[in-house]
């Protein structure tokens, strides 16, 4: 069974004619008939009811979706290979860091490499680890240290610490005392917004949720809106709410009985062989610029690793 046989089979079905299918494929009718006889012999069934018009047998109808699936997969594979020829980079990042770290760096990268395909996958920690493990992505941005057992041999290129402030709407913050305790805050806004920023939630975060009369778990977008409306308080990574704080829509508060929080993340590769690709290294350097803007760089091994390579 080969693709020429399958494409001929599919075209005969569409045209309901050997003659029209052969003309469309720019082959002779004899070639089309020969391909179908060979395919039927291979499958051990009759695919067509031949006559003035051509129709499928029950076996042909059963085989048709499988044939088209194979044709489609082959086309996808061919397109993927074409993309590889002109260059392709695949990145997997925590959802909360796609916008602050990748957007601007991608714009700068594409100015230098306009023909290169870039695929950015987003997800939670376990999903990022799986994408790296399965080699669906070359570069990962995830919480650090990584606790996912699926990918234990990741190489950190850069680690970053980002503040995770507790925020509340501006109008609610105006009603708090200068040094509030968490009970005062929860009396004013009883709903805590939970976001999965960590692999393991810090005690301060879980304690706040336990003490709250009610809680809700939401993605970042709806969670920000809820907080801005004064309908909840929550720990947000700073990059997610920095613009809202600067604009006065949200206010960072520090109750005296809640410790400040932070989150550490890392830019990682599965293997140092990834650094043999100059395009990927350039993109990594662009992302490193955004990391320094968003948080505090705790450790950067990139230049040392490149020198050793």
């Amino acid at each position: 069974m080969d693709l020429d046989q399958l494409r001929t089979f599919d075209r005969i079905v569409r045209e309901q004619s050997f003659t029209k299918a052969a003309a469309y494929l720019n082959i002779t009718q004899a070639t089309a008939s020969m391909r179908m006889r060979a395919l039927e012999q291979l499958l051990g069934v009759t695919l067509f009811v031949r006559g003035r018009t051509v129709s499928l047998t029950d076996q042909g109808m059963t085989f048709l979706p499988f044939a088209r699936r194979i044709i489609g997969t082959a086309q996808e594979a061919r397109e993927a290979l074409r993309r590889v020829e002109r260059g392709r980079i695949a990145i997997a990042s925590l959802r909360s860091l796609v916008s602050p770290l990748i957007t601007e760096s991608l714009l700068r990268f594409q100015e230098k490499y306009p023909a290169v395909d870039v695929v950015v996958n987003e997800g939670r920690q376990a999903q990022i680890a799986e994408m790296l493990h399965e080699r669906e992505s070359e570069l990962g941005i995830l919480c650090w240290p990584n606790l996912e057992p699926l990918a234990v041999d990741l190489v950190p290129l850069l680690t970053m610490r980002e503040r995770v402030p507790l925020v509340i709407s501006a109008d609610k913050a105006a009603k708090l005392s200068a040094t509030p305790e968490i009970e005062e805050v929860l009396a004013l806004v009883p709903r805590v917004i939970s976001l999965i920023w960590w692999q393991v939630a810090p005690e301060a975060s879980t304690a706040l949720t336990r003490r709250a009369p009610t809680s809700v778990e939401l993605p970042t977008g709806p969670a920000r809106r809820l907080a801005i409306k004064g309908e909840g308080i929550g720990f947000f990574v700073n990059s997610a709410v920095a613009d809202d704080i600067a604009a006065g829509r949200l206010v960072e508060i520090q109750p005296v009985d809640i410790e400040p929080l932070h989150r550490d993340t890392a830019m990682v590769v599965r293997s140092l062989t990834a650094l043999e690709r100059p395009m990927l290294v350039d993109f990594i350097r662009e992302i490193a610029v955004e990391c320094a803007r968003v948080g505090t760089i705790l450790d950067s091994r990139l230049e040392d690793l490149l020198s050793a390579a």
Side-chain angles (χ1 to χ4, degrees), residues 155-274:
V155 181
L157 307 176
L158 175 151
T159 55
M160 175 188 77
R161 175 163 293 176
E162 187 176 5
R163 295 173 53 253
V164 183
L166 180 64
V167 297
I168 191 172
S169 67
D171 62 324
K172 298 293 185 181
K175 299 176 182 178
L176 294 173
S177 62
T179 55
E181 294 186 355
I182 195 58
E183 292 302 329
E184 178 187 349
V185 178
L186 291 175
L188 185 65
V189 184
R191 181 180 292 111
V192 167
I193 304 167
S194 296
L195 299 104
I196 309 301
W197 300 125
W198 300 274
Q199 296 177 84
V200 179
E203 175 57 29
S205 176
T206 56
L208 177 61
T209 302
R210 286 196 303 267
R211 294 169 68 176
T214 182
S215 67
V216 59
E217 185 174 318
L218 289 171
T220 305
R224 284 178 51 254
R225 181 169 176 79
L226 200 67
I228 291 170
K229 290 291 186 180
E231 296 297 325
I233 62 169
F235 285 106
F236 287 75
V237 288
N238 189 60
S239 56
V241 292
D243 289 344
D244 295 314
I245 293 173
R249 292 184 291 268
L250 291 172
V251 175
E252 179 181 353
I253 60 173
Q254 184 56 63
V256 295
D257 50 346
I258 291 285
E259 65 181 76
L261 295 182
H262 64 265
R263 181 183 69 171
D264 293 346
T265 55
M267 186 161 41
V268 304
V269 290
R270 179 69 188 272
S271 169
L272 289 177
T273 57

Side-chain angles (χ1 to χ4, degrees), residues 5-292:
Q5 292 172 343
L6 296 178
R7 290 193 184 100
T8 303
F9 169 66
D10 175 61
R11 183 48 54 181
I12 292 170
V13 173
R14 295 176 186 275
E15 302 292 346
Q16 296 183 313
S17 166
F18 278 68
T19 303
K20 291 180 180 178
Y24 181 92
L25 296 171
N26 197 28
I27 59 176
T28 65
Q29 183 175 341
T31 299
S33 297
M34 180 182 65
R35 288 177 181 177
M36 290 306 93
R37 284 196 300 270
L39 182 59
E40 289 176 325
Q41 289 174 3
L42 177 66
L43 296 174
V45 299
T46 300
L47 296 172
F48 294 106
V49 177
R50 292 162 170 84
R52 186 180 295 270
T53 60
V54 177
S55 60
L56 285 171
T57 63
D58 289 345
Q59 291 89 340
M61 292 180 65
T62 300
F63 180 65
L64 179 61
F66 294 97
R68 287 177 172 169
R69 194 177 308 164
I70 294 170
I71 294 169
T73 301
Q75 290 171 339
E76 290 175 9
R78 186 179 295 107
E79 180 58 31
L81 291 174
R82 289 197 187 105
R83 290 197 301 267
V84 170
E85 287 178 358
R86 63 178 184 258
R88 182 180 185 274
I89 288 176
I91 298 174
S93 172
L94 295 172
R95 288 191 180 98
S96 56
L97 289 176
V98 171
S99 179
L101 294 188
I102 296 179
T103 303
E104 294 300 322
S105 56
L106 176 59
L107 290 173
R108 294 193 297 270
F109 176 81
Q110 288 186 322
E111 287 181 2
K112 187 174 182 180
Y113 298 98
V116 173
D117 292 328
V118 178
V119 178
V120 179
N121 298 301
E122 62 176 19
R124 292 186 175 181
Q125 185 82 6
Q127 294 168 317
I128 305 304
E130 181 179 1
M131 282 185 257
L132 290 166
H133 176 73
E134 297 296 332
R135 291 177 170 78
E136 296 174 13
S137 296
E138 303 163 272
L139 178 72
I141 302 173
L142 73 177
C143 292
W144 199 255
N146 172 54
L147 303 179
E148 290 294 332
L150 191 62
V152 296
D153 55 351
L154 302 177
V155 181
L157 307 176
L158 175 151
T159 55
M160 175 188 77
R161 175 163 293 176
E162 187 176 5
R163 295 173 53 253
V164 183
L166 180 64
V167 297
I168 191 172
S169 67
D171 62 324
K172 298 293 185 181
K175 299 176 182 178
L176 294 173
S177 62
T179 55
E181 294 186 355
I182 195 58
E183 292 302 329
E184 178 187 349
V185 178
L186 291 175
L188 185 65
V189 184
R191 181 180 292 111
V192 167
I193 304 167
S194 296
L195 299 104
I196 309 301
W197 300 125
W198 300 274
Q199 296 177 84
V200 179
E203 175 57 29
S205 176
T206 56
L208 177 61
T209 302
R210 286 196 303 267
R211 294 169 68 176
T214 182
S215 67
V216 59
E217 185 174 318
L218 289 171
T220 305
R224 284 178 51 254
R225 181 169 176 79
L226 200 67
I228 291 170
K229 290 291 186 180
E231 296 297 325
I233 62 169
F235 285 106
F236 287 75
V237 288
N238 189 60
S239 56
V241 292
D243 289 344
D244 295 314
I245 293 173
R249 292 184 291 268
L250 291 172
V251 175
E252 179 181 353
I253 60 173
Q254 184 56 63
V256 295
D257 50 346
I258 291 285
E259 65 181 76
L261 295 182
H262 64 265
R263 181 183 69 171
D264 293 346
T265 55
M267 186 161 41
V268 304
V269 290
R270 179 69 188 272
S271 169
L272 289 177
T273 57
L275 301 183
E276 296 173 3
R277 300 186 64 202
M279 286 189 307
L280 181 61
V281 171
D282 282 353
F283 204 167
I284 289 170
R285 284 184 168 133
E286 294 293 352
I287 296 174
V289 171
E290 298 305 310
C291 287

